[in-house]
Amino acid sequence: MAPQFADFTKEEFEQRYAKTRALMAEKNLDAMLITERLNYQYYSGHRSEQCAVDKIRSYMVILPKDGEPTLITMPFEVAQVEQTSYITDIRTTGGLMGHPEFIIGVLKDLGLSKARIGAELGREQYLGISYLGLQEVMKGLPGAEFVDAADIILTVRNVKSPREIEYLRRASIISAEAQKKTFTQVRAGMTENEVAQILRENLIANGAEKISLLCVLSGANDKGIVLLPTDRKIQKGETLGFDVGVSYKGYWSDLARTASVGSPSEELSEFYNWMMRLRHDCNMQLTAGNRPADVIRVVDTYLEERGLKTMGVGRVGHGVGIETTEYPSLAAFEEITFEVGNVFACNPNFSNHLGFINAEDNWAVTTGEPDLLSAPVADWEIPVVEA
C-alpha cells in the first residue's frame, strides 16, 4: 500500500536510488549503510522527531546495489514509517542496547557479510551510530569492507528536484516575509531578546515548522559578531540584523537582513548599497556551467577596489537543502561546476564599526539568471526601524 503522507513520489525516491547506485558502481560498492539523521530522511522519506533528539536508538537505511532498500527503526516508529516511506522492508528492535549486534544480523541476513559497503566516513558527514558502535559492526563482519562514501551522498543531494525546490521556496518565503514584517514592529529601546520573540512569533505564524537558527545582532563589535540574542537594548543610530533558518517539509532556508535603527547615516547608506551591488554581482554568477571561483573572483575585485580584506570565514556562501547550511561551499577550493537544481545562499557580509552588514537570500541555479526563492528579496536601500 502506498504511504498516505509521503513528501515525494515513489518515482522521486527511485531517481535518488538510481543516481546513488550509478556512483556506487564506480566505487564497486555492494551496498550503502546510511546512518546520519538527515541522510536517513533523504533516502527513506521518514522525518522522525524521535531520531533528532534520541541518540540511544538506531535509524538506518541499507541501500543494496540491486533490490529494495531496508530500513532499521524502532517499533513505535513503524506507523509513521508506513505513512511516509515507500520502503517496505522494515526491521525493528525495541532494545536500548545491543544495536551493533542487531545491525550485524540484518547485514548478514541481506547477504552482505562479505560485501564492500559504503558509509558516511568522510567530508561533512556524521554517523548516526557511535564510533565504537561502528567499530563493533565492522568487527562482527570480518569479511566485509567498509569504505568512505561521503562523496556519493554529497553529490546526489547537491542537485535538487523541482519538488525539493518547491519546498525550499516555501521555507524561504516564510522567512523573508516574517523578517520584513518584524522590522515594522520593533522599536529602539527593545532588547534583542524581545525582538527575537517577535521574529519567532512571525516565523511560526507564517508557517515555519522548525527553526534551526535565530540570530539577532545589534550595534558594532570590533571583536566579531554576537549571534545569540541578549538583553542588550537596541539603540537609535545603530544597525539591527537577523540571520534565520526555518524549515518546511524538512527543507530549510537561510536568510539574513540588516536594518538601520532610525534614519541611516550617509556612511551606512553608502556602505550598505555597495554591499548590495557586490551581492548582486555574486548572485549573477550562480548559473549553470560556472564555478565557485567565479563568485570568489567578483568578491576579490570588489574588495581590492575598496581596500578591504575578507573576514577569514573561508567562504561567501553555501548550499541549502535539508540542512540550513550544506555542501557545497562557495569557496575557491571547491572544485565543482554549477548545475541546474543547485540551491545556494550567497552572502558576502561585513562586520565593522557600522555593525554587521548582511543581506542573504536563497537562489536556485538555472541556465540563465538564478531563480530567487526568497521573495521579497532584500532591499537595495537599507530598511529603517523606527527609533
Side-chain angles (χ1 to χ4, degrees), residues 17-43:
Y17 300 155
K19 291 177 182 178
T20 302
R21 284 168 168 151
L23 295 171
M24 289 168 59
E26 294 179 9
K27 284 180 168 284
N28 193 30
L29 297 180
D30 298 303
M32 292 277 288
L33 177 64
I34 300 163
T35 69
E36 191 271 334
R37 177 175 66 89
L38 295 177
N39 291 332
Y40 166 87
Q41 172 187 311
Y42 182 81
Y43 282 97

Side-chain angles (χ1 to χ4, degrees), residues 206-224:
N206 216 27
E209 295 178 354
K210 293 184 180 180
I211 299 174
S212 62
L213 73 153
L214 193 150
C215 306
V216 176
L217 313 91
S218 64
N221 189 327
D222 61 4
K223 295 182 180 179

